[in-house]
Amino acid sequence: MLRLILALILSLVAMLLIGPRVLPVLRKMKFGQTIYELGPKSHQTKQGTPTMGGLMIIGLIMFTSILFLDMGDPKLQCCLLVMGVTAILGFLDDWAKITKKSTDGVSGWFKIALQAVASLGCAGYLWYLDPTIARVLIPFYGTVDLGMFFIPFAMLVIIGASNAVNLTDGLDGLASGCMVVSCLAFLSLCLSFDEVALANYLLCIAAACLGFLWFNAHPAKVFMGDTGSLSLGGALGTVAVCTHTELLLVIIGGVFVAEATSVMIQVGWFKVSRKLYGEGRRFFRMAPIHHHFEKCGWSETQVCVRFWIIAFFLAVLGLILGACCCVLIN
């Protein structure tokens, strides 16, 4: 317990101390965000805001994990592996955007390929160590063993979570705030499943994100960039896979799911309407859906706070369903 408290304090305090020293460095190196020209006009003032703040988050999580957590736990090893690989991917994407001074980073296929390699290695390793990892909890029913189909299913969950959090990171504090809520919810689930190492890991993530939110709140002094969002989403998806709670992730991470779904609907409807009507039409005013509400007149702060509230209630709902699962399997 003492080590856990130390990890929590170190993660939070270190972020608050590191932030003011790292931000000037990012500005000096001209690691500024390029804002999408067709986005909300209010976002144009963010042009040049330092990005790659995810380096602080991921670096701190890795450091506290090695220092305080049980590195012999194979599930924790998988979480750190996926986080590390997707952080590298995010860094490459951010670097490409900075050097090109464009919103276009590395290719989508390259992203999916690297995420697939990391998630395949994670899923295969977990299944090799313990085939019972293929059991998925289903609320009000119990568990279903996916067998060999667990590996592609786990890959889908991890890749989907990574990209969903990435899409959510479009407003000041939105992704980091929702990550805090989701991590605390999964922390409770991990404790109920006696996954102490993962619970401690999630506490480190929540503390680091909470500290980062101090600088990322509107008006943001720094963005986490793809370096942070892709890796945090990948870590959250991996935790869900490790705890058989992939379906609960859809509920607890409902905000992330809604953001990703809105993009798929927007792109799909645009293509369908072009065939039906001869021109592409939009289902939402703008996607991801947080931009839709901005276009509807909500301020950036209103969108963030309301989405945080929704995330909180979805987390509570997920915990209730998780408790039902525990009753059924016990």
Side-chain angles (χ1 to χ4, degrees):
M1 180 59 71
L2 178 60
R3 296 181 70 186
L4 182 58
I5 295 173
L6 289 174
L8 171 62
I9 295 174
L10 178 62
S11 297
L12 186 56
V13 174
M15 180 63 74
L16 296 176
L17 293 176
I18 291 171
R21 290 161 177 78
V22 173
L23 296 187
V25 176
L26 294 176
R27 292 193 190 95
K28 187 176 182 179
M29 297 181 71
K30 297 182 179 180
F31 283 1
Q33 180 74 36
T34 301
I35 303 301
Y36 184 49
E37 293 181 358
L38 300 179
K41 293 181 179 179
S42 60
H43 286 215
Q44 297 307 312
T45 58
K46 302 180 182 183
Q47 184 77 21
T49 300
T51 187
M52 285 196 187
L55 290 173
M56 294 189 294
I57 301 175
I58 305 307
L60 190 55
I61 293 170
M62 291 290 189
F63 177 74
T64 52
S65 296
I66 293 172
L67 196 61
F68 295 107
L69 306 187
D70 178 14
M71 295 301 294
D73 188 296
K75 293 181 178 179
L76 178 60
Q77 293 170 0
C78 284
C79 291
L80 292 173
L81 169 66
V82 172
M83 173 175 274
V85 173
T86 48
I88 293 172
L89 171 61
F91 177 84
L92 294 175
D93 196 40
D94 285 333
W95 181 257
K97 292 176 182 177
I98 291 170
T99 53
K100 295 178 183 176
K101 295 189 181 301
S102 168
T103 55
D104 297 325
V106 299
S107 70
W109 287 112
F110 178 76
K111 280 185 180 180
I112 295 297
L114 200 54
Q115 289 171 324
V117 170
S119 57
L120 175 61
C122 169
Y125 180 58
L126 290 172
W127 195 42
Y128 170 76
L129 291 178
D130 182 12
T132 62
I133 194 70
R135 296 174 183 171
V136 177
L137 287 172
I138 300 178
F140 306 113
Y141 179 79
T143 61
V144 172
D145 195 327
L146 298 180
M148 63 181 296
F149 294 104
F150 162 76
I151 292 180
F153 177 70
M155 291 174 63
L156 179 64
V157 170
I158 295 171
I159 294 172
S162 178
N163 288 299
V165 175
N166 179 238
L167 291 170
T168 306
D169 185 34
L171 298 181
D172 298 350
L174 179 56
S176 49
C178 289
M179 273 300 302
V180 171
V181 175
S182 297
C183 285
L184 292 178
F186 270 100
L187 185 155
S188 299
L189 288 174
C190 287
L191 289 177
S192 65
F193 298 148
D194 200 29
E195 295 286 356
V196 179
L198 292 182
N200 297 344
Y201 172 66
L202 287 166
L203 186 59
C204 291
I205 296 178
C209 287
L210 190 61
F212 182 76
L213 188 57
W214 183 270
F215 307 100
N216 188 228
H218 184 72
K221 295 181 180 179
V222 63
F223 301 136
M224 69 170 66
D226 291 355
T227 307
S229 57
L230 285 173
S231 52
L232 290 173
L236 191 63
T238 308
V239 169
V241 168
C242 290
T243 53
H244 314 278
T245 54
E246 295 92 340
L247 298 183
L248 291 179
L249 175 61
V250 177
I251 298 169
I252 294 174
V255 171
F256 303 132
V257 173
E259 295 278 11
T261 303
S262 69
V263 172
M264 290 187 286
I265 292 174
Q266 186 86 323
V267 173
W269 176 243
F270 189 86
K271 292 181 179 180
V272 170
S273 62
R274 187 163 53 187
K275 293 183 179 180
L276 292 176
Y277 306 110
E279 61 176 0
R281 299 182 180 181
R282 292 178 172 82
F283 188 88
F284 300 102
R285 293 188 178 184
M286 189 174 180
I289 198 169
H290 55 256
H291 289 319
H292 170 81
F293 288 108
E294 280 192 288
K295 292 283 189 178
C296 290
W298 292 16
S299 70
E300 187 166 349
T301 302
Q302 284 178 316
V303 176
C304 285
V305 173
R306 288 170 180 173
F307 275 40
W308 291 344
I309 293 171
I310 293 170
F312 172 78
F313 281 106
L314 288 174
V316 172
L317 176 60
L319 288 175
I320 293 173
L321 293 176
C324 294
C325 291
C326 288
V327 171
L328 286 172
I329 61 179
N330 291 328

